[in-house]
Amino acid sequence: MVSSSCISLTELASGDNMLSFPQTHSAFLRAKTVPGNILDVDGNDGNSDEHSSKLRKKNILVAAFLPVHAKKDSVSGKWCFSFDEDSLLLQMKDGFSSDTDVFYVGSLKADVDSSEQDEVSQRLQEEFNCVPTFLPPDLHKKFYYGFCKQYLWPLFHYMLPIFSDYGNRFDRLQWQAYVSANMKFVDKIMEVINPEEDYVWVHDYHLMILLTFLRKRFLRVKLGFFLHSPFPSSEIYRTLPVRNEILKALLNADLIGFHTYDYARHFLSCCSRLLGLDYESKRGYIGLEYLGRTIYIKILAVGIHMGRLESALNHPSSSIKFKEISEQFKGKKVILGVDDMDIFKGISLKLLAMEKLLQWYPQWLGKLVLVQIVNPARSTGKDVEEAKRETYTTAERVNEKFGFPGYEPVILIDRYVPLYEKTAYYALAECCIVNALRDGMNLMPYKYIVCRQGTPKEDEALEMASDDRLPTSTLVVSEFIGCSPSLSGAIRVNPWDISGVADALYSSIMMNDKEKELRHEKHYRYISTHDVAYWARSFMQDLERACKDHYSKFCYGLGFGVDFRILSLSPSFRKLCIADIVSAYERTSQRVIFLDYDGTVVPQYSIDKTPSPKFVHDLNALCSDPKNIVFIVSGRGKDSLSDWFAECENLGIAAEHGYFIRWTRELEWETSPLVVDFDWKRVAEPVMKLYTETTDGSYIETKESALVWHHQYADPDFGTCQAKELLDHLENVLANEPVIVMRGDNIVEVKPQGVSKGFVAEKVLSKMISDRQVPDFVMCIGDDRSDEDMFESISSASCISELPVAPEIFACTVGQKPSRARYYLDHSVDVLTMLAALAQVSDPTLEALAQVSDPESGYINADYSSDNNDA
């Protein structure tokens, strides 16, 4: 039995022999982990249609932890559960339509004995729509506290484990635990998913490999992923030993979300540098083409839950805190910081900036206070302990230096602070500072803005009239946090520049009220309209759009384990079967063959572009057949092509995309009658030289009819960026010239209008028909954008459509990619092998093909009997 996950690209057969996978039954029932009650997963109960109509579409949200609090009563021994109102997963539900069920898959933050797990699972699923994933303690420790928190999290925040004392180095056992844990999450998703209807949204770096294993279970699953942490630059990410496995796993999603363009740009750069993938923007959407699929990129920062925050502001305890805090800091301006205790939040640098501020402006002594709320650390280790020790040491020094009886310039609150108390601090702070060295998003500035907007309860507690108070706020935010781009009215700082941060703090407290009011209004307008519901709704709409074509293509699984990926092909696009084309070749008598050169009969990456003796020999056999007309159609110059194929007397050559055409070796070269003026070169060449000088590794190829700028040896990102700029520059300066500016595979080319490979194909076919050589076999093979003109021409040329009997047409591209061709071959080696098979038909005296490799040819001969046509 053939595994659906073990076929490679070259093993995929064409036509009826191609493996296809049936759609999953629409009535996939939800199973529960209840002893003795395992439901039929196929739903074969005789009423599948009736059951399917009752199923509601589900959004399945998957994260490391469920949005529930779990506590076991010490007296009764029973478990008590309640929703965690502060959980992002729970708050997202407001963005989904009312006719959609929401299920949650994740772990509990409490240890549940194995004997109680089935009962807990059933209860959570029935009462909370939660499916708990129970991990053995040792596995959870290696997965979460090991690989996730001690390796991935620091790396994604730009901290390399250069020394073992500061961050863990890569541990293969922890990586295996990460993979195993992700597989267990997939098993739990399987209990509730109806793959044809439901959408799965996976959250954060803990579960990146999950995407691979879920896609392996259901090839057409509707799958989204959002990364809540930064995505590091390619220089950092490339140090990850399993970098390709994680990148390919993410590409198993249909939509990948990031908080900022910087994070998305780093991800796209990694895909370009490590996997050679290009991306493009279409009507505002960024798309990555990968194995026939389009993976879309979503850039939208998460928002806050306005109702939850306003509810906390109106809490009775909040009003009491308002009075307490306002009395405590009466006559003083409060600068507020709220951060987790970890090495990336920059708390000690913030305290140093406060010290610098008081040093510069001693008149603020006794009038300015920095209140720093420290949330409990989410991870453990030497780095956390060191960050905590440094924070306390710095705070003590500042207070000893500038404090006096009744005044401490720095107040550390290192305990759990409930939300209602935090809202009181937010509402009363003159300025809020987020000084993180690196942070995925950080919603604290959003919460501060909403709390500063005020509520009637707050005004009542402060004994203020609502009409007399205009909301104001000032923000000082690090430029390295995810929310920074959305807060255009904030004072942005480099947290490492202590003097700069001190200046920013001083500017914030000295800012006039009108400026504070305008900045606050701008921020509040954005935050209130881009809340968590808006974010969730927008992501799901884009996920639905990304999945709308799932069933319009055939999907095939490739690879083992973490290397599993999906090949998606159009129903009309299939691998060219050599046996089929040999059969068509044998039964036809007027054949025409068009062959591209670079990337088609010689590998694109090959430095030596000279054709092999074996290929020239086979090509000569094809040209010598009186039933054939064979053309090499290339962008190369005529001199090199003439030298390489001097042995082929009857070979036609179209050089420089058809500007030069020679029908046989004995005839003269013809030039395109459409081109008479090359004055445009004097304009284009200086522009290309400018970009060549500024792009290391690029060069200009000068042809008689065209100019080509190559950047395949330049830095991939910079070369692509420069190519886009050059394309735009040339289009502007050559707007009134009779030329076409186009991008190809690592090139930008300027050539005359009307000169194309498609024009060559039409010209050859028209001449054949006028000479009463009506073609009954047309084959065209190419690999890049310029060859698409040929594919289109041989299929839609008027001279072909008017024939009484349509010829057999084989338009074939090299590699699986979007194309106008109907067929594909995986590699130039396959092209050479196929041409050798045709040559043997034309010249039976050629040595019989055998399963041996010709060391000079660079490709493998094969037996083309009908029993082995898929080899």
Side-chain angles (χ1 to χ4, degrees):
M1 179 174 144
V2 180
S3 169
S4 63
S5 63
C6 67
I7 23 180
S8 67
L9 286 172
T10 53
E11 290 172 331
L12 281 176
S14 59
D16 296 334
N17 295 322
M18 184 175 281
L19 293 174
S20 63
F21 300 89
Q23 299 179 7
T24 308
H25 199 283
S26 61
F28 191 94
L29 292 182
R30 172 162 54 91
K32 301 177 183 177
T33 54
V34 181
N37 184 23
I38 301 176
L39 299 181
D40 180 4
V41 295
D42 291 321
N44 294 326
D45 57 358
N47 297 302
S48 60
D49 292 338
E50 179 183 348
H51 178 79
S52 180
S53 65
K54 295 178 182 177
L55 284 176
R56 286 158 55 93
K57 186 182 76 171
K58 297 189 293 292
N59 290 339
I60 302 173
L61 307 182
V62 190
F65 294 104
L66 290 171
V68 294
H69 294 299
K71 186 177 180 181
K72 191 172 184 179
D73 189 282
S74 57
V75 178
S76 65
K78 292 187 177 181
W79 283 95
C80 302
F81 302 103
S82 62
F83 274 122
D84 179 3
E85 300 292 339
D86 293 323
S87 171
L88 176 67
L89 249 63
L90 187 66
Q91 295 171 357
M92 288 165 54
K93 188 174 181 180
D94 288 358
F96 304 145
S97 63
S98 57
D99 61 348
T100 300
D101 290 330
V102 180
F103 275 73
Y104 307 96
V105 177
S107 296
L108 287 170
K109 294 180 181 178
D111 293 328
V112 179
D113 189 83
S114 57
S115 62
E116 301 175 295
Q117 289 176 2
D118 286 332
E119 180 184 350
V120 168
S121 294
Q122 183 177 2
R123 186 175 165 196
L124 283 172
Q125 192 165 334
E126 291 177 351
E127 297 179 17
F128 297 87
N129 276 7
C130 288
V131 183
T133 303
F134 298 109
L135 300 178
D138 184 58
L139 177 63
H140 179 74
K141 182 179 179 181
K142 290 178 180 176
F143 154 64
Y144 185 76
Y145 294 106
F147 193 76
C148 290
K149 285 299 180 183
Q150 294 297 322
Y151 188 75
L152 273 185
W153 187 75
L155 185 77
F156 276 36
H157 287 75
Y158 289 74
M159 180 179 173
L160 293 174
I162 298 174
F163 302 106
S164 57
D165 287 344
Y166 295 94
N168 289 4
R169 290 177 177 163
F170 180 79
D171 185 332
R172 183 66 60 175
L173 291 177
Q174 289 184 353
W175 162 246
Q176 291 170 356
Y178 181 83
V179 173
S180 297
N182 276 244
M183 292 175 69
K184 289 184 177 294
F185 277 82
V186 172
D187 292 338
K188 291 299 177 179
I189 296 172
M190 295 290 292
E191 294 183 10
V192 292
I193 190 172
N194 173 13
E196 289 188 7
E197 299 293 335
D198 300 343
Y199 290 84
V200 182
W201 185 352
V202 182
H203 291 264
D204 224 1
Y205 62 93
H206 315 89
L207 302 173
M208 293 185 289
I209 288 293
L210 178 152
L211 306 173
T212 292
F213 295 111
L214 186 58
R215 180 68 68 185
K216 185 176 180 180
R217 299 284 185 97
F218 300 115
L219 301 187
R220 292 186 176 89
V221 65
K222 300 165 184 176
L223 185 56
F225 176 83
F226 199 95
L227 183 68
H228 293 272
S229 76
F231 195 94
S233 66
S234 61
E235 286 74 17
I236 299 293
Y237 182 81
R238 283 187 293 175
T239 65
L240 182 60
V242 288
R243 59 192 190 182
N244 283 0
E245 289 88 337
I246 289 178
L247 267 190
K248 290 177 181 177
L250 293 176
L251 293 174
N252 275 313
D254 297 295
L255 178 67
I256 306 172
F258 300 93
H259 286 305
T260 72
Y261 173 70
D262 276 348
Y263 303 162
R265 177 170 56 85
H266 293 156
F267 171 74
L268 294 169
S269 176
C270 289
C271 290
S272 173
R273 291 175 179 271
L274 300 177
L275 303 179
L277 303 181
D278 289 327
Y279 68 92
E280 60 181 355
S281 181
K282 293 181 179 178
R283 297 183 179 180
Y285 295 96
I286 299 175
L288 267 170
E289 295 295 332
Y290 182 57
L291 296 179
R293 297 171 57 240
T294 300
I295 297 95
Y296 290 94
I297 306 300
K298 174 79 171 175
I299 302 169
L300 182 63
V302 68
I304 61 172
H305 194 282
M306 297 288 292
R308 171 67 174 151
L309 209 55
E310 289 168 355
S311 174
L313 281 167
N314 292 320
H315 193 280
S317 300
S318 186
S319 299
I320 297 172
K321 276 294 175 185
F322 286 151
K323 292 180 180 179
E324 289 181 6
I325 297 170
S326 59
E327 186 64 32
Q328 179 183 356
F329 298 111
K330 190 174 183 179
K332 300 181 180 68
K333 287 184 180 290
V334 176
I335 299 173
L336 178 67
V338 182
D339 301 281
D340 295 343
M341 176 53 74
D342 71 53
I343 57 176
F344 297 112
K345 293 300 187 285
I347 299 176
S348 60
L349 294 178
K350 187 189 306 183
L351 303 183
L352 292 175
M354 181 66 177
E355 180 182 30
K356 183 74 70 174
L357 173 62
L358 295 176
Q359 227 171 22
W360 287 348
Y361 306 102
Q363 66 269 27
W364 282 100
L365 288 173
K367 302 175 184 178
L368 187 65
V369 176
L370 171 62
V371 176
Q372 177 63 54
I373 297 175
V374 181
N375 297 324
R378 299 188 188 185
S379 60
T380 58
K382 294 180 181 178
D383 49 0
V384 174
E385 293 301 320
E386 179 66 22
K388 189 170 185 177
R389 185 192 63 78
E390 186 177 358
T391 297
Y392 271 91
T393 301
T394 306
E396 288 171 5
R397 190 183 73 246
V398 174
N399 287 335
E400 287 176 5
K401 187 175 181 180
F402 297 105
F404 50 79
Y407 172 67
E408 285 188 342
V410 175
I411 296 177
L412 286 181
I413 303 177
D414 188 4
R415 58 174 172 80
Y416 169 74
V417 179
L419 182 60
Y420 70 83
E421 185 176 348
K422 284 181 183 175
T423 59
Y425 278 105
Y426 286 139
L428 291 166
E430 185 78 15
C431 169
C432 179
I433 176 171
V434 181
N435 202 49
L437 310 179
R438 188 77 60 177
D439 209 351
M441 183 57 193
N442 201 316
L443 293 172
M444 198 265 280
Y446 286 15
K447 296 175 181 177
Y448 167 71
I449 294 294
V450 173
C451 291
R452 288 290 290 180
Q453 182 70 13
T455 66
K457 287 272 188 182
E458 177 188 338
D459 296 333
E460 182 182 333
L462 299 177
E463 299 179 354
M464 295 177 60
S466 300
D467 296 338
D468 296 339
R469 186 176 70 86
L470 292 174
T472 63
S473 61
T474 54
L475 278 170
V476 177
V477 299
S478 165
E479 61 191 58
F480 301 118
I481 64 175
C483 66
S484 176
S486 63
L487 298 170
S488 56
I491 302 174
R492 295 193 181 96
V493 295
N494 174 2
W496 298 101
D497 180 6
I498 295 170
S499 297
V501 176
D503 275 336
L505 289 173
Y506 182 72
S507 298
S508 70
I509 59 177
M510 296 301 294
M511 191 179 294
N512 65 71
D513 287 343
K514 184 62 178 177
E515 182 70 17
K516 291 179 183 179
E517 181 187 337
L518 291 173
R519 293 188 183 215
H520 173 85
E521 182 183 352
K522 183 178 186 179
H523 289 155
Y524 184 78
R525 190 186 311 118
Y526 174 84
I527 293 166
S528 60
T529 56
H530 292 72
D531 62 356
V532 66
Y534 173 86
W535 172 75
R537 182 166 56 251
S538 179
F539 187 93
M540 286 306 301
Q541 287 172 350
D542 282 0
L543 181 57
E544 290 173 6
R545 185 183 296 109
C547 299
K548 63 182 174 59
D549 294 330
H550 266 201
Y551 289 95
S552 65
K553 293 184 177 182
F554 289 142
C555 295
Y556 307 92
L558 307 175
F560 288 109
V562 294
D563 286 325
F564 181 84
R565 61 240 188 249
I566 290 294
L567 172 65
S568 182
L569 300 176
S570 167
S572 60
F573 186 64
R574 58 196 181 96
K575 189 171 183 177
L576 184 60
C577 178
I578 294 178
D580 289 347
I581 197 167
V582 168
S583 175
Y585 187 84
E586 287 175 331
R587 64 176 177 264
T588 51
S589 57
Q590 293 292 339
R591 315 181 193 106
V592 58
I593 299 172
F594 300 102
L595 300 173
D596 174 44
Y597 189 73
D598 291 273
T600 300
V601 294
V602 293
Q604 191 69 254
Y605 54 80
S606 176
I607 297 176
D608 182 9
K609 299 295 186 179
T610 307
S612 68
K614 178 70 170 66
F615 170 61
V616 174
H617 186 61
D618 290 338
L619 188 63
N620 203 20
L622 292 172
C623 298
S624 301
D625 190 331
K627 298 178 181 179
N628 293 345
I629 292 178
V630 183
F631 261 82
I632 293 287
V633 186
S634 173
R636 287 189 171 271
K638 59 185 176 67
D639 293 335
S640 57
L641 292 173
S642 297
D643 292 340
W644 289 340
F645 298 106
E647 296 179 28
C648 303
E649 181 179 354
N650 296 320
L651 176 66
I653 298 177
E656 299 190 16
H657 296 297
Y659 177 72
F660 294 105
I661 295 181
R662 190 181 71 182
W663 295 85
T664 66
R665 188 180 65 188
E666 303 304 323
L667 297 178
E668 296 295 323
W669 286 97
E670 300 175 6
T671 58
S672 173
L674 303 174
V675 183
V676 293
D677 182 13
F678 287 100
D679 288 345
W680 56 266
K681 283 189 175 183
R682 293 202 298 267
V683 178
E685 192 166 15
V687 176
M688 285 190 172
K689 284 183 178 178
L690 174 64
Y691 283 80
T692 303
E693 291 169 2
T694 57
T695 311
D696 189 31
S698 66
Y699 65 93
I700 300 172
E701 179 187 1
T702 302
K703 302 178 182 178
E704 292 187 45
S705 67
L707 291 173
V708 187
W709 187 76
H710 295 261
H711 62 92
Q712 66 262 42
Y713 302 123
D715 178 89
D717 282 346
F718 186 56
T720 300
C721 177
Q722 289 290 79
K724 292 176 181 176
E725 288 294 321
L726 176 58
L727 182 73
D728 184 60
H729 196 159
L730 289 171
E731 285 177 341
N732 286 331
V733 299
L734 298 173
N736 298 320
E737 299 291 342
V739 295
I740 295 173
V741 185
M742 59 179 288
R743 279 194 68 190
D745 189 9
N746 291 316
I747 65 166
V748 175
E749 183 171 13
V750 185
K751 64 179 184 178
Q753 290 179 353
V755 175
S756 70
K757 293 183 177 182
F759 174 74
V760 174
E762 289 187 24
K763 186 172 183 178
V764 172
L765 291 170
S766 297
K767 186 176 186 301
M768 287 182 68
I769 293 170
S770 63
D771 291 344
R772 298 185 182 280
Q773 294 178 313
V774 179
D776 53 7
F777 176 98
V778 181
M779 182 176 75
C780 176
I781 306 179
D783 76 302
D784 65 17
R785 299 179 189 179
S786 63
D787 300 310
E788 295 296 319
D789 293 334
M790 280 199 296
F791 300 149
E792 186 174 24
S793 292
I794 65 173
S795 302
S796 60
S798 57
C799 58
I800 292 291
S801 60
E802 292 172 0
L803 293 176
V805 179
E808 297 196 55
I809 296 177
F810 296 89
C812 178
T813 188
V814 180
Q816 299 97 336
K817 54 183 176 286
S819 174
R820 294 188 179 102
R822 184 179 177 185
Y823 301 96
Y824 74 90
L825 288 170
D826 290 314
H827 193 272
S828 57
V829 171
D830 301 325
V831 177
L832 297 174
T833 305
M834 185 266 296
L835 292 174
L838 301 183
Q840 187 185 11
V841 175
S842 290
D843 186 0
T845 63
L846 288 174
E847 181 181 353
L849 298 172
Q851 292 275 11
V852 294
S853 175
D854 181 346
E856 292 186 351
S857 71
Y859 63 96
I860 297 174
N861 295 334
D863 180 4
Y864 298 106
S865 66
S866 58
D867 294 332
N868 197 32
N869 59 52
D870 292 332

